[in-house]
Structures are given as structure tokens and as C-alpha cells.
Amino acid sequence: MLPSDQKNGGIAFVGMIIVVIFIVFLGANVKDLLPRGTKNPAQSDMTRAEKTSGGKYTLSPKSVTRLSQSDFAFYVGSPNPRVKIVEFLDFQCPYCKRVLPTIQELMKRYTDAPVRFSFRHFPVESIHPAAFQASHASLCAKEQNKFMEYHDLLYEYQDIISEERLPVFAAGLGLDMDRFTTCMGTQRYASTIRKDLSDATTLGVVGTPTFFINGNRLEGALPIENFTRVIDEELARPDGR
């Protein structure tokens, strides 16, 4: 007889396969499969995370090095950056969703600058039960060069994220569902996410979103000016760090 944890894991995996088969059979678009009109939790009242002034914290060189030691982080931007921006995110965090338009605007604004953005994971499972698997699903999507598309879709439908809907999002993006299902079933990137969590804790991260811009820490869903101020200061450094 199988131990209960293995039995439950097998049932969950079979359930995921059934969901995928159902999706493929329907040939449906993700936007047709998901309910609309649900209140967006990111539109709730301000919290301490939003009120953060954006004070500047400078990390030691050793800690800055730790930021770049990720097994499978997604990067976008300059291949030879002078400014490295790292976000620790949680896909069920409403303030990560709220800051998303700011990050998208920064990507546009610094398209031709030596700036690189990368995304690492800090799922807070105690309050966001599907966050770890959502992060894992985003890395399975990255295997198929769809990380940002999956990332954006998770935030778009953040209020209804669940483990059961993760393959629905993948199917809606046209991912190879055999590959995606295998990736999720084997938990291929669980250790990668745990490393992100460990590194984040060592760096003093206590919540999301937390950003590091060349080692300067910004916390919360801050206005774009808080980011551009630090980015421009770093770009102007004579040492070209």
C-alpha cells in the first residue's frame, strides 16, 4: 500500500491530466474558460507595503553576488547590463500585481539602456496557498519561451488562481500540454524556487514585491519615480557598476 502522501500526489497528478485532456478536447481559449466580474484584490485599501517610502538599502558585495545565483531565473533586457533589477515576486500578492504596470513601463523606458530585469520567486504559502505551484508553472512555461506571457496571465486572473487552473492558463497560451504536464508532475523546478526563497530570506526579504537595483533595495508597490531615481543614479556612476 502506498503512503498517503504518495497516494495523494498520484491522485493530484491524474487529476491534472484529466483537466488537460478536457481543455485540449474543447480547444477553448483561456479567456472563455475563466469567470469574469470577480473583484480584483489588488484594488483593496492601501497597506503598509504601498506606504513604504522606498528607502535605499545597500547590500554587501557578497549579497549582491547572491542575487545573480539563480538556476533558472527569467531575464529580459541588456545582455551586458550596468544596472541589474531583480524582483522577488508572489503571483498571489495583490501588490505585485499593482506594481506590474510600473515594471512594464520601466522595461519600455529603458529598452535601449544597459538595464536588465530578472524575476525570482518568494511565494508566501502561509497566506497564498497556490503561490508556490503558480511560480513552478511559470518556470514550466519558461521552458517553452512563454514566461512573460504566463506571468502576465497569472496577474490578469490573480483573483481566481488555483492549482487546478494552472494548466488552463497554459493551454490558453498554446503551450505543449504534454511537456507542461510532465514538468508540473515531476516538480522539476521546486528546488529552484526553494533556492530563491532561501536567498531572499538571507537577503532580508520579508514580503513582496521586493526589488534590488544593483543591490539597492526597494519594497512595495511604489511609484515609478522611486525606481527611475535609483536606476538613473546607477547608470550615472562613473565606475559603471
Side-chain angles (χ1 to χ4, degrees):
M1 180 176 294
L2 289 173
S4 60
D5 57 343
Q6 292 184 15
K7 183 185 298 181
N8 292 337
I11 293 172
F13 183 58
V14 171
M16 180 181 292
I17 293 175
I18 293 172
V19 170
V20 171
I21 292 172
F22 177 71
I23 294 165
V24 173
F25 176 75
L26 287 180
N29 184 284
V30 68
K31 295 183 183 295
D32 298 324
L33 293 169
L34 300 173
R36 295 189 177 277
T38 308
K39 183 179 178 181
N40 180 355
Q43 295 173 350
S44 58
D45 294 336
M46 286 179 63
T47 67
R48 182 191 63 78
E50 294 179 281
K51 295 176 183 177
T52 304
S53 63
K56 188 173 179 179
Y57 307 83
T58 303
L59 300 177
S60 68
K62 183 177 180 180
S63 294
V64 173
T65 298
R66 183 182 291 273
L67 279 170
S68 64
Q69 294 176 340
S70 176
D71 298 329
F72 204 62
F74 177 80
Y75 301 97
V76 62
S78 173
N80 299 299
R82 291 177 55 198
V83 177
K84 299 176 183 178
I85 302 171
V86 179
E87 178 187 2
F88 282 95
L89 59 82
D90 176 325
F91 284 114
Q92 288 192 291
C93 167
Y95 306 102
C96 291
K97 175 173 180 174
R98 184 168 291 184
V99 81
L100 178 59
T102 297
I103 302 308
Q104 292 170 334
E105 176 58 31
L106 289 171
M107 288 181 177
K108 293 178 183 177
R109 190 172 298 190
Y110 292 98
T111 296
D112 299 321
V115 176
R116 185 173 72 187
F117 297 81
S118 62
F119 301 88
R120 299 187 66 182
H121 303 268
F122 192 77
V124 185
E125 293 182 273
S126 59
I127 56 176
H128 300 144
F132 190 97
Q133 290 306 319
S135 284
H136 192 279
S138 74
L139 296 180
C140 291
K142 181 181 181 293
E143 278 192 347
Q144 301 187 46
N145 300 314
K146 291 285 187 178
F147 176 87
M148 283 307 297
E149 292 86 347
Y150 198 88
H151 166 283
D152 293 350
L153 198 62
L154 285 173
Y155 283 129
E156 181 178 354
Y157 292 102
Q158 183 184 70
D159 52 339
I160 59 167
I161 286 177
S162 67
E163 290 190 37
E164 294 75 20
R165 286 195 174 101
L166 296 176
V168 176
F169 301 141
L173 291 174
L175 298 185
D176 180 325
M177 294 308 298
D178 287 339
R179 288 182 61 188
F180 182 85
T181 302
T182 299
C183 180
M184 292 296 292
T186 58
Q187 289 293 284
R188 184 173 298 155
Y189 299 109
S191 61
T192 298
I193 298 168
R194 292 191 188 101
K195 184 177 188 302
D196 283 359
L197 282 163
S198 176
D199 286 352
T201 300
T202 301
L203 293 165
V205 174
V206 295
T208 54
T210 296
F211 300 88
F212 292 92
I213 304 176
N214 279 6
N216 302 295
R217 185 168 68 199
L218 297 177
E219 300 170 304
L222 301 170
I224 195 169
E225 292 77 17
N226 294 67
F227 294 91
T228 57
R229 185 182 307 117
V230 179
I231 294 170
D232 292 343
E233 286 176 359
E234 293 299 314
L235 286 173
R237 281 181 174 273
D239 58 9
R241 186 181 72 177

